[in-house]
């Protein structure tokens, strides 16, 4: 039998079994890689069930499907799932999730599948468009009609931005956008913010910019063309008072495009652009970076002149975030340093995706008594 320890649940005094599966997430010996403790975000107040119930049966297509309270409560629910042993409660028992990936993925598909399997859900996994009728010219509309009968929720990645509308024409079960061309990647933004809120739980509380001091966020890449960067930026605007300034670092002439530029301007946050990371790196508190964009019908590497390595003059406490996959913009020499929040983003994604699936399927009633939900 598995050895189990126990921890007190916030706000209840109840003892919860501790999640044994997170041991493998511990950084290697002598590594300073960040692995922020979820307990700080969980705090001592119950998670707001009414807010999470707003996700029941909903599709997730864009960061704009979330308000601040929902992001915070979903991340706190993720923290609960990270600290407690959830397997005995079979949250997704009887549910079938279809992961339909018409474009390559390492993290998103496997972390969603891991999330569902660890909660006893079942998976129909499509890792490649070439094994579907798409190869024969079948439409996404027809595929959506079939999925209604085969599963209870679809998680789709596609090379084309308008693929969501096409499959939704006939789809009557919830759809989660796992990346649509250069469009959005909203669940990556949730994983990003889960890592950030664990790192600094005070970012969750709404305070004025002046009281906070504020962080300088550097975004290294082209948000207009990189869906993960775009979704992270949009979600950061929900938490805008935590930032004293946002700097976009890109070699592209217009890294934002008109819509994102208007979003930033209406948030009223101080904003600047730079073509070189060297100009700003010493003042950044958070660096969010990426170099791969899906443009037209292929991947392209953008902003390849801007790179960070162990010799870069980062502030002592600055954190680096990256949705991964990386190329040589982020040197592996940083992996064992205290700047590395990017592995926490990828690891925490399983818990965020568990929380999201459990909320969409309204499986809160499966949780044991004593769970701090109110
Ligand atoms: N972050 C991310 O979307 O990674 P994958 O492309 O591997 O899914």
């Amino acid at each position: 039998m598995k050895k189990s320890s126990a921890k007190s649940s916030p706000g209840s005094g109840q003892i919860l079994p501790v999640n044994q599966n997170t041991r493998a997430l511990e950084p290697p010996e002598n590594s300073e890689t960040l692995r922020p403790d979820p307990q700080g975000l969980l705090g001592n107040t119950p998670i707001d069930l009414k807010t999470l119930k707003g996700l029941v049966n909903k599709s997730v297509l864009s960061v704009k499907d979330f308000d601040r309270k929902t992001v915070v409560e979903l991340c706190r629910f993720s923290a609960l799932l990270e600290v407690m042993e959830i397997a005995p409660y079979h949250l997704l028992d009887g549910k079938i999730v279809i992961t339909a990936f018409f474009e390559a993925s390492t993290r998103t598909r496997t972390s969603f599948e891991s999330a569902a399997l660890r909660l006893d859900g079942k998976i129909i996994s499509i890792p490649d468009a070439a094994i579907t009728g798409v190869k024969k010219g079948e439409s996404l509309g027809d595929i959506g009609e079939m999925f209604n009968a085969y599963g209870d929720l679809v998680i789709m990645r596609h090379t084309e931005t308008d693929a969501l509308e096409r499959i939704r024409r006939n789809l009557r079960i919830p759809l989660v956008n796992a990346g649509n061309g250069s469009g959005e990647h909203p669940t990556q933004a949730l994983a990003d913010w889960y890592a950030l809120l664990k790192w600094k739980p005070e970012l969750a509380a709404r305070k004025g910019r002046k009281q906070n001091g504020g962080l300088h966020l550097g975004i290294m890449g082209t948000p207009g063309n990189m869906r993960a960067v775009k979704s992270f930026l949009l979600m950061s605007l929900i938490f805008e008072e935590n930032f004293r300034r946002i700097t976009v670092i890109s070699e592209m002439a217009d890294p934002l495009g008109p819509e994102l530029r208007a979003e930033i301007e209406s948030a009223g946050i101080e904003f600047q652009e730079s073509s070189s990371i060297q100009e700003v790196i010493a003042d950044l508190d958070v660096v969010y970076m990426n170099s791969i964009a899906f443009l037209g019908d292929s991947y392209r590497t953008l902003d390849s002149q801007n790179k960070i390595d162990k010799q870069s003059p980062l502030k002592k406490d600055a954190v680096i975030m990256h949705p991964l996959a990386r190329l040589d913009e982020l040197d592996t020499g940083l992996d064992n340093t205290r700047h590395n929040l990017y592995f926490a983003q990828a690891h925490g994604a399983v818990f965020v995706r568990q929380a999201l699936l459990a909320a969409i399927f309204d499986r809160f009633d499966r949780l044991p008594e004593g769970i701090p939900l109110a």
Side-chain angles (χ1 to χ4, degrees), residues 76-277:
R76 294 184 65 230
F77 185 36
S78 310
L80 180 76
L81 297 176
E82 184 164 350
V83 298
M84 75 171 285
E85 180 73 60
I86 196 68
Y89 306 104
H90 314 291
L91 293 196
L92 296 190
D93 185 28
K95 294 294 183 188
I96 297 176
V97 171
I98 302 174
T99 53
F101 278 60
F102 301 98
E103 189 211 304
S105 165
T106 303
R107 279 148 292 275
T108 312
R109 185 175 61 82
T110 45
S111 64
F112 260 120
E113 293 187 358
S114 170
L117 291 169
R118 286 190 191 281
L119 299 179
D120 264 352
K122 293 189 176 65
I123 299 284
I124 296 174
S125 182
I126 303 170
D128 185 351
I131 64 163
T132 72
V134 166
K135 178 118 175 138
K136 300 180 264 187
E138 187 171 25
S139 73
L140 275 182
D142 276 359
I143 290 174
E145 182 58 50
M146 305 309 121
F147 283 174
N148 290 316
Y150 304 156
D152 302 299
L153 177 142
V154 178
I155 298 160
M156 185 176 82
R157 170 171 290 186
H158 204 285
T159 54
E160 289 158 22
T161 312
D162 68 354
L164 299 172
E165 283 83 64
R166 278 156 44 214
I167 196 163
R168 282 187 91 207
R169 253 172 236 151
N170 295 329
L171 198 65
R172 296 179 292 282
I173 56 177
L175 173 66
V176 176
N177 178 11
N180 60 322
S182 58
E184 272 214 57
H185 194 351
T187 67
Q188 176 64 46
L190 287 172
D192 299 340
W193 267 89
Y194 180 46
L196 266 182
L197 293 176
K198 281 190 290 182
W199 172 62
K200 276 195 190 296
E202 64 270 26
L203 300 180
R206 196 182 280 279
K207 291 190 197 128
R209 196 169 289 145
K210 285 202 178 97
Q211 283 110 307
N212 259 346
L215 301 170
H216 186 177
L217 168 64
I219 294 194
M220 214 173 114
T222 57
N225 294 114
M226 296 173 179
R227 61 191 174 212
V229 186
K230 184 191 296 178
S231 288
F232 173 76
L233 176 54
L234 286 172
M235 198 166 276
S236 299
L237 295 181
I238 297 178
F239 293 88
E240 51 86 21
E241 84 284 359
N242 289 300
F243 299 105
R244 68 183 149 86
R245 182 182 294 168
I246 295 178
T247 302
V248 172
I249 304 123
S250 172
E251 294 152 22
M252 308 296 282
D254 180 11
L256 292 164
E259 282 171 33
L260 265 183
R261 194 172 292 279
E263 296 272 358
I264 295 177
E265 278 165 9
S266 71
I269 192 161
E270 193 183 323
F271 170 71
Q272 65 182 23
E273 289 174 61
S274 169
S275 60
S276 166
I277 184 69

Side-chain angles (χ1 to χ4, degrees), residues 30-34 310 314 318 320 332-342:
N30 301 325
S31 167
E32 291 184 281
T33 307
L34 294 169
K310 222 173 162 179
L314 286 155
I320 300 170
T332 54
L334 282 155
D335 290 357
N336 288 326
T337 70
R338 64 169 75 181
H339 303 298
N340 177 356
L341 195 62
Y342 39 96

Side-chain angles (χ1 to χ4, degrees), residues 2-21:
K2 201 194 304 184
K3 246 174 54 186
S4 93
S5 47
K7 237 175 206 174
S8 186
S9 73
S12 73
Q14 179 85 8
I15 302 296
L16 296 173
V18 171
N19 189 355
Q20 306 286 324
N21 286 322

